[in-house]
Amino acid sequence: MTIRTILVDDEKLAIQGLQLRLEPFEDVEVIDTCSNGREAIRKIKTEKPDLVFLDIQMPGFDGFSVVKGVMEIEPPLFVFVTAFEEHAIRAFEANAVNYLMKPVDEDKLADTIERVRQRLAEKKSAEDAEQLLDVLAEVAPDRVADFGGDASESADRFEKLINVKDRGQIFRVEVDSIEHIEAAGDYMCIYTGDNSLILRETMKDLERRLDPRKFQRVHRSTIVNLDQVRQVKPHTNGECFLVLDSGAEVKVSRSYRDVVARFVH
C-alpha cells in the first residue's frame, strides 16, 4: 500500500529536510507540499492524502486550524512536526499519530511511519467489514438481523447515555438526543439540537455503542440518528441531503444513499 503524503511547513528547508528523511520509506509517496495553512486545507480536501506532516506554528492558519479546517471530510492521519515542545499536549489532544521535534530524529520518524502503517491497516479492515455488511444488507436484508440475535436483547446492548469529557467538564448525553455525529480522526463531534461536544473515540468504536436500527452511517465520516430525519433533499451526482429536526443538513454520499433509503420514509 502506498501512503500518499503531503508536507506542510512555512520553512522551505524544513520541507526539503523531511523529504530527504522520508526517501528510505518506499511505501511513502510525497504527493505535494504546502507553505501555509490555507493552502494545506485546500490541498487536503482536493487530493485526499493518507498522511499529512504538519508544522504547528505558521503565519495565519496554524497547524491546529488546519485540522479544524478539514473536519467536514474524512481527515487524513496527522503527524505534527515543530520546534516548539510546549505544543505537545495539544498535539496529542488533536489525536496526532505522533509529535516530532525539529530536527526530525530518524529513529523516531521510523517509529512514526510504522504507527501510520498500523493505523491505515486497521482502517482498511474496518472499511472492508462495513462494505461487506452493506452488500449483505442490499442482497439479503432479512439475513442482517441474524447477526444481532433477539431484537430486545440486541437493543439492551447499546448505550442509552454517553459520557463526554469536553472543555474540562463531563456531559451526560442522552443518545436519543443526538442528531448526528461527524468524525475528525479519532475525535467525534457529537451534535444535539442545541449543543455540540467533542468525544475522543474512533468512529468504529462509537458505532459499536449505538443501535444500528437508529444510527446509520450516511458518509464515511458521518452518522445520523434516523429518528431525527425530517426531509430528504435530492442533490447532484446521485447524492442527497437529510434535513434534521434542528434544520441542519447532512450530505448522504452515493455509496450510502440506498442504505439510508430503507429507513427514511
Side-chain angles (χ1 to χ4, degrees):
M1 174 183 177
T2 299
I3 304 172
R4 302 173 66 256
T5 304
I6 289 179
L7 311 182
V8 183
D9 200 308
D10 63 323
E11 298 178 6
K12 187 175 180 179
L13 287 177
I15 285 183
Q16 292 174 344
L18 186 54
Q19 282 180 306
L20 287 173
R21 287 173 172 80
L22 287 170
E23 285 182 356
F25 303 97
E26 295 182 357
D27 54 345
V28 176
E29 178 188 0
V30 177
I31 60 173
D32 216 331
T33 63
C34 307
S35 60
N36 61 72
R38 290 185 184 276
E39 181 186 12
I41 291 172
R42 184 175 68 254
K43 289 189 176 180
I44 290 170
K45 288 182 176 180
T46 56
E47 300 185 28
K48 296 180 173 56
D50 303 303
L51 173 65
V52 175
F53 284 88
L54 182 61
D55 186 23
I56 291 181
Q57 191 153 326
M58 297 181 291
F61 276 36
D62 64 10
F64 298 112
S65 299
V66 172
V67 174
K68 292 178 181 177
V70 298
M71 286 179 63
E72 74 261 24
I73 66 169
E74 183 173 5
L77 299 179
F78 286 100
V79 173
F80 287 111
V81 184
T82 183
F84 300 93
E85 192 170 2
E86 64 267 24
H87 293 306
I89 294 177
R90 283 191 67 196
F92 284 114
E93 287 177 347
N95 199 41
V97 174
N98 209 351
Y99 178 91
L100 300 176
M101 294 293 298
K102 296 179 181 179
V104 174
D105 179 83
E106 291 183 1
D107 290 338
K108 291 183 178 178
L109 180 60
D111 176 68
T112 297
I113 296 300
E114 185 56 34
R115 292 190 195 187
V116 169
R117 291 174 181 140
Q118 292 174 1
R119 291 276 287 272
L120 290 175
E122 291 169 0
K123 178 181 176 182
K124 182 66 167 59
S125 297
E127 288 180 349
D128 287 346
E130 288 164 5
Q131 290 175 4
L132 181 60
L133 285 176
D134 284 346
V135 170
L136 182 61
E138 289 293 326
V139 301
D142 56 318
R143 295 293 296 166
V144 176
D146 294 345
F147 291 93
D150 179 76
S152 60
E153 291 180 2
S154 178
D156 291 339
R157 292 191 297 108
F158 300 110
E159 303 280 357
K160 300 296 188 297
L161 288 169
I162 292 179
N163 294 328
V164 181
K165 185 177 181 181
D166 189 3
R167 298 182 288 272
Q169 302 180 62
I170 296 178
F171 298 85
R172 290 176 59 79
V173 180
E174 291 187 9
V175 169
D176 287 345
S177 72
I178 296 173
E179 278 201 339
H180 71 287
I181 301 164
E182 295 180 358
D186 285 352
Y187 279 84
M188 298 293 111
C189 303
I190 297 177
Y191 295 89
T192 63
D194 56 1
N195 200 7
S196 63
L197 298 167
I198 305 296
L199 173 66
R200 184 168 188 173
E201 187 166 348
T202 66
M203 176 168 278
K204 179 174 65 176
D205 290 338
L206 185 56
E207 277 189 301
R208 293 193 186 112
R209 301 169 62 187
L210 299 173
D211 188 341
R213 292 169 299 179
K214 288 187 176 182
F215 290 89
Q216 281 287 313
R217 186 89 71 95
V218 297
H219 190 277
R220 288 184 302 173
S221 58
T222 309
I223 297 173
V224 164
N225 182 348
L226 297 173
D227 288 345
Q228 304 245 10
V229 176
R230 290 295 168 263
Q231 184 182 354
V232 180
K233 295 172 61 176
H235 191 52
T236 58
N237 300 322
E239 297 176 333
C240 63
F241 284 92
L242 301 181
V243 182
L244 308 180
D245 277 344
S246 67
E249 296 187 3
V250 177
K251 181 184 284 188
V252 181
S253 65
R254 284 178 294 172
S255 56
Y256 291 98
R257 187 184 61 171
D258 291 339
V259 176
V260 174
R262 294 198 306 272
F263 297 89
V264 181
H265 301 285

